[in-house]
Amino acid sequence: MSENQPRRIVVGVSGGIAAYKACHLVRDLKEAGDDVRVVPTPSALNFVGAATFEALSGHPVSTTVFDAVDEVQHVRVGQEADAVVIAPATADVMARLVAGRADDLLTATVLVATCPVIVVPAMHTEMWWNPATQANVATLRERGVIVLEPAHGRLTGKDTGPGRLPEPDQIAELVRAVLDGADLTPDWRGRKVLITAGGTQENLDPVRFLGNRSSGRQGFALAEIAAHRGAEVTIVAGATDDLPTPSGARIHRVTSAREMAGVVEKRAPEQDVIIMAAAVADFRPVSEAGAKMKKGQDDAALMTVELVENPDILATTVEQRRQGAVPVGTTIVGFAAETGDADTSALEFAQAKLRRKGCDLLMANEVGEGKVFGQARNQGWLLGADGSVEEVPDGSKHVVAARILAGVDKLRN
Ligand code: CTP
């Protein structure tokens, strides 16, 4: 397959109310240039009509193995696919996949497919936690099927809990990451992971603050990949773009560096892996005015802002580990966004930073000229405390996240 050739993605849709979100998923995948074919189960068509899926995908839609028999459709769709994603996947369709049934076109397609199969469950919390469903999920995972974690939130009725379909753009991003080689093996089960993300804001007064351009995308992508690999993920997030909460992760919102430091210090002792992707302000105003400062009245304070240093959360966590407050087996990963100068390259600055901070791994990248901040892609180097340098090629932030977690795997194994 040449690099620019559209990839063939089969979107399976089963019969749950979240079937309407599959329309957005199809559109998102199509807009990125992929060739999308929708295979609904017969009951999915109670929620969304075949005409909608045909119009969005540009392909005919059938649910049964008895359509287009002359083209051997029941085998061909699965054989030709580069990925199959079932979103939403009901408890029923997962049970049928486990049993190896082929009683409609979707299950027949999965039975034939040798490409990655990604199952995105959506159902009521009780159905999700039912031992039958959990056993089916475990079986599918054992067989190499990627079963994503459901999102937590409002379900069809008034109830909330795990069982929501993740947002279509989150699913599309993960499907593309899998196609680009991201490892979603669910072998991080039982691992606790803490991730800092976004930018801190340091208040000057109730309306003004010192902040930065961090979008939180890289931290959220790390959280998503870790959660889908089975880890128990906690995100400590400062200001971020309006991003959906990664499925399966818990999030603590903070504003300032000191607040972030407080949460991290409390949570660090129970973690197996700590990844500091946040852009933490190094300094904060020496004092915060209780009332809005006014021009003409508070000019001196507004024109010259006196700053004091913030705690270095990464260096403090490394120091806590040295002193035994954080287990010695905890892996600590830092980030560095660098620019080079006439004498020193961005990579050399990053290597010096790794030594200074004392973390185990450092994901370094070069910033400036529209690179990295707020962008959907990233690239750089993954540096090890042992002096190793692994180039991380340009990829989506999800692909880069998967590379970083693979780096953690290498270190821990
Ligand atoms: N970091 C942190 N606490 C701080 C500053 C940074 O935990 N007060 C973490 C970041 O989350 C990142 C790493 O340290 O993982 C490097 O951040 P960076 O801002 O590049 O480091 P600084 O030490 O501030 O270096 P510089 O002087 O280059 O800004």
Side-chain angles (χ1 to χ4, degrees), residues 71-334:
E71 295 169 22
V72 211
Q73 181 173 243
H74 72 290
V75 192
R76 221 196 48 211
V77 176
Q79 277 173 339
E80 290 178 352
D82 295 307
V84 177
V85 51
I86 306 181
T90 57
D92 179 71
V93 87
M94 288 196 287
R96 290 193 294 124
L97 295 178
V98 166
R101 312 250 336 203
D103 43 3
D104 57 23
L105 184 58
L106 177 57
T107 46
T109 297
V110 173
L111 215 48
V112 170
T114 53
C115 61
V117 175
I118 302 152
V119 167
V120 196
M123 65 199 71
H124 269 81
T125 305
E126 294 85 341
M127 284 186 167
W128 172 248
W129 285 128
N130 188 289
T133 306
Q134 288 299 307
N136 288 336
V137 168
T139 304
L140 290 172
R141 284 179 174 152
E142 269 164 37
R143 293 179 190 164
V145 172
I146 298 167
V147 184
L148 299 186
E149 287 298 315
H152 198 282
R154 180 85 192 268
L155 302 167
T156 333
K158 285 194 180 129
D159 39 352
T160 62
R164 257 174 82 90
L165 191 78
E167 293 309 313
D169 53 342
Q170 288 176 302
I171 301 171
E173 207 55 72
L174 283 163
V175 171
R176 286 191 284 265
V178 168
L179 281 165
D180 289 338
D183 181 6
L184 284 185
T185 311
D187 55 1
W188 279 42
R189 214 147 283 283
R191 230 173 235 186
K192 287 192 167 182
V193 179
L194 182 104
I195 296 168
T196 69
T200 65
Q201 296 180 343
E202 311 299 325
N203 290 345
L204 280 157
D205 69 14
V207 293
R208 302 181 180 92
F209 60 83
L210 302 179
N212 60 66
R213 287 187 215 280
S214 173
S215 66
R217 280 177 203 284
Q218 187 61 74
F220 275 42
L222 280 157
E224 271 184 45
I225 302 282
H228 292 309
R229 289 193 65 179
E232 197 182 307
V233 179
T234 305
I235 308 171
V236 188
T240 63
D241 284 2
D242 187 17
L243 306 171
T245 304
S247 309
R250 287 199 311 173
I251 189 160
H252 283 272
R253 287 280 178 186
V254 296
T255 306
S256 67
R258 281 188 297 174
E259 270 180 80
M260 185 174 274
V263 178
V264 171
E265 192 178 344
K266 206 162 133 209
R267 301 268 166 198
E270 68 213 32
Q271 306 301 322
D272 298 293
V273 180
I274 301 175
I275 307 178
M276 309 261 190
V280 184
D282 292 320
F283 300 95
R284 67 176 182 277
V286 71
S287 63
E288 178 183 344
K292 186 185 170 193
M293 290 190 277
K294 290 187 173 55
K295 195 164 68 174
Q297 190 180 306
D298 303 305
D299 289 3
L302 280 169
M303 288 167 73
T304 310
V305 179
E306 204 183 323
L307 303 174
V308 287
E309 202 169 345
N310 268 330
D312 186 319
I313 307 170
L314 176 57
T316 306
T317 309
V318 170
E319 180 56 22
Q320 276 184 296
R321 184 176 64 177
R322 205 185 58 78
Q323 292 180 1
V326 168
V328 65
T330 304
T331 307
I332 304 176
V333 184

Side-chain angles (χ1 to χ4, degrees), residues 34-91:
D34 289 314
D35 182 46
V36 184
R37 183 165 182 144
V38 184
V39 182
T41 61
S43 55
L45 297 184
N46 289 317
F47 295 93
V48 179
T52 303
F53 290 135
E54 289 184 348
L56 288 170
S57 68
H59 286 295
V61 161
S62 63
T63 60
T64 148
V65 295
F66 297 110
D67 284 338
V69 176
D70 55 329
E71 295 169 22
V72 211
Q73 181 173 243
H74 72 290
V75 192
R76 221 196 48 211
V77 176
Q79 277 173 339
E80 290 178 352
D82 295 307
V84 177
V85 51
I86 306 181
T90 57

Side-chain angles (χ1 to χ4, degrees), residues 358-412:
C359 51
D360 306 308
L361 280 175
L362 187 86
M363 175 64 209
N365 42 44
E366 206 165 356
V367 288
E369 292 163 26
K371 283 182 191 159
V372 184
F373 274 106
Q375 305 294 310
R377 302 178 76 80
N378 198 355
Q379 70 183 102
W381 308 273
L382 192 57
L383 311 180
D386 59 357
S388 62
V389 179
E390 188 186 315
E391 199 169 338
V392 178
D394 173 78
S396 73
K397 288 192 170 171
H398 285 76
V399 172
V400 170
R403 286 289 288 264
I404 295 169
L405 299 194
V408 172
D409 274 333
K410 222 189 266 174
L411 207 66
R412 294 182 68 94

